[in-house]
Amino acid sequence: MGVFFLLKKQLLFYKRDQLSVALFLIAFTGLLWLIHGGERPEHIPVDLNASVSQKERASLDSLKLDKAKPRRYKFNPNFLSPYNAYLWGISDSALTALESFRAQDKWLRSAADFQRVTGVSDSLLAEMKSYFRFPVWTQQSRTNTFRDRPEKVKELNAASQEELEAVYGIGPVLAGRILRFKQRYGPYSDSLQLRLIYGLKPEVRAELLKHFTIATKDSISKIDFNTAAASDLATLPGINFELAKELVIFRRLRDGISDPEDLLMLEGITADWLAGIAVYLQFE
């Protein structure tokens, strides 16, 4: 009987103080953890790239390079723009040769024609030809397409405002610029002069020369670029006085210019402008 009483008393003690005992055990356990296991393990850096294989990394690098490259589209090589020529690495002389070819109302009909006119390498042609998109009529026989190709019907120097506006791509503004150019600098004697008309794009020039010819071949007295004063250069089309001064400074810094393409190093000078102004300048 006495033993039962003692056990019952002990159990009642534990029930009363179970919260205290629980807190004691938690505190004791925490103390042991701090003494024996509280030190944080040394941080080991993880190389995220280590999980990427060499092949995968090369593939990712390739994708980055592809995204950085300008996107190329199919185009009609008869209307190769200066920007597109730049993207393909085509020289200014090759572009000028192509535009001179088109100015004669001639058309490229194949990749072989493109190479013959521009002189591009076999390797570049192989890369480009899948992007060529020739007009349908150029792939037909000449006898079937002759009547579809407009003939030159009028001398450009005799064209009226209304006749110029009838050309696809030429509105009142461009027609006015073409006429004012003739009034200010004299009759057109070379199709290259059209490159100096602001806003007249290569494809529109080609369209214009399908309808008009330049029969007048009056010789133009050329100015020696290396001796001309800025005031003389400023009288030429496409050159204002500010540009004339810049050209003179550039010429002096280089002790004269023998290759006109050196001028392309100046900001704002384009291959189109250079081809047009060459009608009025000589470089000796």
Side-chain angles (χ1 to χ4, degrees), residues 82-274:
Y83 177 70
N84 215 6
Y86 166 75
L87 289 182
W88 284 104
I90 295 176
S91 66
D92 293 329
S93 58
L95 179 62
T96 300
L98 174 59
E99 292 180 340
S100 298
F101 174 83
R102 287 288 296 111
Q104 300 173 46
D105 197 26
K106 296 179 181 179
W107 291 81
L108 302 173
R109 295 171 176 268
S110 65
D113 285 349
F114 182 83
Q115 185 179 38
R116 177 176 54 81
V117 172
T118 61
V120 297
S121 64
D122 292 340
S123 58
L124 180 55
L125 182 67
E127 187 180 353
M128 293 183 69
K129 63 183 181 182
S130 61
Y131 290 88
F132 287 167
R133 186 175 60 187
F134 293 96
V136 175
W137 68 264
T138 63
Q139 307 306 299
Q140 300 170 352
S141 65
R142 294 178 182 270
T143 55
N144 291 336
T145 60
F146 179 78
R147 61 184 177 183
D148 297 328
R149 298 174 64 190
E151 297 181 28
K152 296 176 181 176
V153 295
K154 196 173 181 68
E155 160 66 36
L156 179 60
N157 288 302
S160 65
Q161 174 91 13
E162 293 74 17
E163 289 170 330
L164 291 172
E165 289 182 29
V167 176
Y168 180 77
I170 295 182
V173 174
L174 277 179
R177 288 175 185 168
I178 293 170
L179 293 175
R180 284 194 296 274
F181 186 99
K182 182 189 68 174
Q183 293 167 0
R184 181 172 181 179
Y185 300 107
Y188 292 99
S189 61
D190 194 310
S191 62
L192 291 175
Q193 292 169 285
L194 295 173
R195 300 187 183 208
L196 298 173
I197 297 177
Y198 180 75
L200 192 60
K201 297 180 179 179
E203 57 269 27
V204 181
R205 288 201 305 265
E207 186 68 22
L208 175 66
L209 292 171
K210 286 161 59 177
H211 297 273
F212 295 93
T213 187
I214 299 177
T216 305
K217 298 298 181 182
D218 294 338
S219 60
I220 297 175
S221 298
K222 293 190 175 186
I223 296 176
D224 187 347
F225 178 81
N226 289 307
T227 60
S231 56
D232 295 327
L233 294 174
T235 64
L236 301 179
I239 300 180
N240 57 30
F241 193 66
E242 290 301 318
L243 177 58
K245 290 191 294 184
E246 189 175 352
L247 290 171
V248 169
I249 293 172
F250 182 80
R251 179 189 72 197
R252 289 174 179 170
L253 291 175
R254 300 180 66 87
D255 294 326
I257 301 294
S258 58
D259 185 356
E261 291 192 0
D262 288 348
L263 298 179
L264 292 173
M265 289 187 285
L266 289 171
E267 184 178 358
I269 299 298
T270 65
D272 257 3
W273 178 89
L274 190 59

Side-chain angles (χ1 to χ4, degrees), residues 16-32:
R16 285 197 309 267
D17 298 314
Q18 58 185 352
L19 178 61
S20 299
V21 172
L23 292 174
F24 172 77
L25 291 175
I26 292 172
F28 183 72
T29 303
L31 181 61
L32 290 176

